[in-house]
Amino acid sequence: MSEKRQQVSRRQFLNYTLTGVGGFMAAGMLAPMVRFAIDPALQASSKGDFKAVEDVENITEEPTRIDWEIDQVDAWYESTVTKTAWVYKDENGDIVALSPICKHLGCMVTWAGNDDYPDQFYCPCHDGRYYKSGENVPNTPPPEGLDFYEYKIEDGTLLLGPTKPRGEA
């Protein structure tokens, strides 16, 4: 019984070795990319975080500017960011919290910021105007109305969360 021994030729050995080394190198390069792609899904989301900003009894029918601070993490950089909202009660007594960011070019709008339009939000950059409800005035530069802030009321305190585009509110 003679069994022939299968010997690996030099060419086959180099082919197997280089394929194995190349596979390890490819895996080494892909692992960080896969981790980078999957990492946001593994992180705890702070999107639903709400921050207490004002007592509900202090909110009137006149839009009031409210500022508050949040902790923001951008990659490895942590900072404290000041957020702003225009908050008021509508004619039904419901709270309305509007983003002050103009939808035209991103400038800050103010309530009654122009003497010619005392009951409107006004953007000084290009004369953008919004009604009290946050809807844009026709034939002015903003293409759509102001965004809303998500809000909750707990123990008589208004808590504001992330902004929602007008179409989703």
Side-chain angles (χ1 to χ4, degrees):
M1 300 198 228
S2 71
E3 250 181 62
K4 268 195 168 180
R5 197 171 177 182
Q6 288 253 351
Q7 288 200 355
V8 178
S9 69
R10 190 178 302 166
R11 179 173 287 176
Q12 286 175 322
F13 174 76
L14 285 174
N15 192 9
Y16 295 152
T17 304
L18 290 176
T19 301
V21 169
F24 279 113
M25 290 176 66
M29 291 184 339
L30 286 175
M33 291 183 220
V34 170
R35 173 69 179 168
F36 179 76
I38 293 176
D39 191 47
L42 300 176
Q43 297 295 326
S45 173
S46 62
K47 187 175 180 181
D49 288 345
F50 285 80
K51 189 83 171 190
V53 295
E54 185 71 52
D55 288 333
V56 174
E57 62 190 34
N58 295 338
I59 299 172
T60 64
E61 290 187 4
E62 182 76 14
T64 304
R65 179 181 168 145
I66 295 179
D67 297 321
W68 74 98
E69 292 183 344
I70 62 166
D71 295 324
Q72 180 172 303
V73 179
D74 293 323
W76 60 87
Y77 181 70
E78 296 181 22
S79 61
T80 301
V81 178
T82 301
K83 301 282 253 172
T84 302
W86 287 98
V87 179
Y88 68 94
K89 288 184 181 175
D90 65 11
E91 56 276 350
N92 299 327
D94 296 328
I95 292 178
V96 178
L98 297 171
S99 169
I101 308 298
C102 179
K103 300 302 277 188
H104 178 228
L105 292 176
C107 299
M108 297 288 278
V109 300
T110 58
W111 174 250
N114 186 325
D115 293 336
D116 296 334
Y117 312 106
D119 293 329
Q120 294 179 352
F121 290 102
Y122 179 75
C123 178
C125 295
H126 294 101
D127 293 326
R129 297 184 354 240
Y130 299 90
Y131 296 118
K132 185 177 178 181
S133 64
E135 295 175 36
N136 58 315
V137 174
N139 301 319
T140 60
E144 57 190 38
L146 296 171
D147 291 339
F148 290 100
Y149 276 101
E150 291 183 23
Y151 74 90
K152 294 193 273 188
I153 298 173
E154 292 181 1
D155 300 326
T157 302
L158 175 67
L159 288 84
L160 292 180
T163 56
K164 255 182 140 170
R166 182 163 282 276
E168 295 177 20

